[in-house]
């Protein structure tokens, strides 16, 4: 797909200062040793946002448990954390979030190692080949090529569904009982794409929209002891996001530390009123708290809604 354009979502974004890097409200110096004694379980922890998040929590004093599919990359992230933050407690377990038994094994390993889970960052994600749309037409009678392309899209969409929906569901299912005991936090790394309809991204954007609703369900079914957020990490250059090519890369202007330290801030209590809602790492969280907390609670905002026509 050439000249990919994302529609405006101005009416679905808070009118606050937008940040693309560390700012005073999430400055690491504010959180030194603030999470000592807390245990953080991070999926997709072997690179990109997951790695940066694990490092931020370790720097804040938390014990970190890493989960991802490859031993070598997990070992590398662990070694990097121990090198830069001497005395940090880090362990890992190889896990594929699409397989329930694999997630359960990782959660059990975390409990065996550290005895509890206080915070979960569900970060695993996938995106389809954005060059291919949902439907195809036969062009020039080359039916075989068209069917091959269609199968590629179907297989790609199935993978996106398994990782972004089933994978996050698996993580929630096996960690929520432990988070209930610690009155903890669950953060899904979602996307502002949940609010978009961009041709060629039907799988990715639909599944990210599902995460917003899943957050609402977890809160509705819970007793309020676990705080749950759906977080847009910003436009981050990762191996997954860069697969979209130059048309997507132009939007990837945010530092990977932005979502990492936003998540650290989210688990300190001041933002508990945002539980069950969609949040963007780009938002100035101080402005959200001081100017928008009241209206958000009053209107039960930052949740999925069906737009109805205005009164005649």
């Amino acid at each position: 797909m050439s000249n990919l354009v994302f529609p405006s979502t101005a009416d679905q974004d808070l009118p606050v200062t937008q940040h693309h890097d560390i700012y005073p409200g999430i400055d690491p110096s504010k959180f030194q040793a603030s999470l000592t004694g807390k245990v953080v379980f991070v999926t997709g922890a072997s690179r990109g946002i997951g790695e940066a998040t694990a490092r931020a929590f370790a720097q804040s004093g938390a014990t970190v448990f890493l989960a991802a599919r490859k031993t070598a990359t997990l070992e590398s992230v662990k070694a990097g954390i121990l090198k830069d933050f001497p005395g940090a407690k880090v362990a890992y377990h190889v896990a594929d979030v699409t397989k329930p038994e694999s997630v359960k094994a990782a959660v059990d390993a975390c409990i065996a190692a550290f005895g509890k889970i206080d915070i979960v960052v569900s970060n695993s994600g996938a995106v389809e080949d954005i060059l291919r749309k949902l439907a195809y037409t036969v062009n020039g009678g080359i039916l075989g090529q068209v069917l091959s392309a269609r199968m590629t899209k179907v297989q790609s969409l199935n993978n996106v569904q398994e990782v972004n929906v089933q994978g996050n569901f698996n993580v929630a299912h096996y960690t929520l009982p432990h988070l209930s005991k610690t009155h903890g936090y669950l953060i899904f790394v979602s996307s502002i794409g949940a609010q978009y309809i961009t041709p060629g991204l039907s799988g990715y954007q639909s599944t990210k929209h599902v995460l917003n609703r899943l957050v609402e369900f977890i809160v509705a079914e819970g007793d309020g002891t676990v705080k749950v957020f759906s977080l847009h990490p910003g436009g981050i250059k990762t191996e997954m996001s860069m697969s979209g090519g130059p048309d997507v890369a132009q939007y990837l202007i945010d530092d990977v530390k932005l979502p990492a330290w936003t998540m650290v801030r989210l688990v300190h209590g001041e933002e508990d009123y945002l539980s069950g809602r969609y949040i963007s790492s780009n938002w100035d969280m101080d402005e959200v708290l001081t100017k928008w907390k009241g209206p958000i609670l009053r209107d039960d905002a930052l949740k999925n809604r069906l737009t109805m026509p205005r009164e005649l």
Side-chain angles (χ1 to χ4, degrees), residues 76-100:
S76 176
V77 173
K78 176 182 176 180
I81 291 174
L82 293 176
K83 176 183 177 182
D84 294 337
F85 311 112
K89 296 179 181 179
V90 189
Y92 67 79
H93 193 280
V94 174
D96 181 344
V97 296
T98 67
K99 302 183 187 318

Side-chain angles (χ1 to χ4, degrees), residues 12 30 66 153 191 195 205-206 228 255 264 270 292:
Q12 299 184 63
K30 296 179 59 172
L66 315 170
K153 183 66 174 183
S191 171
Q195 275 62 259
Q205 292 181 341
S206 295
V228 193
D255 191 284
V264 169
E270 273 194 322
W292 288 96

Side-chain angles (χ1 to χ4, degrees), residues 34-48:
S34 63
L35 294 176
T36 300
K38 300 295 184 180
V39 177
V40 185
F41 182 92
V42 184
T43 69
S46 62
R47 63 189 184 193

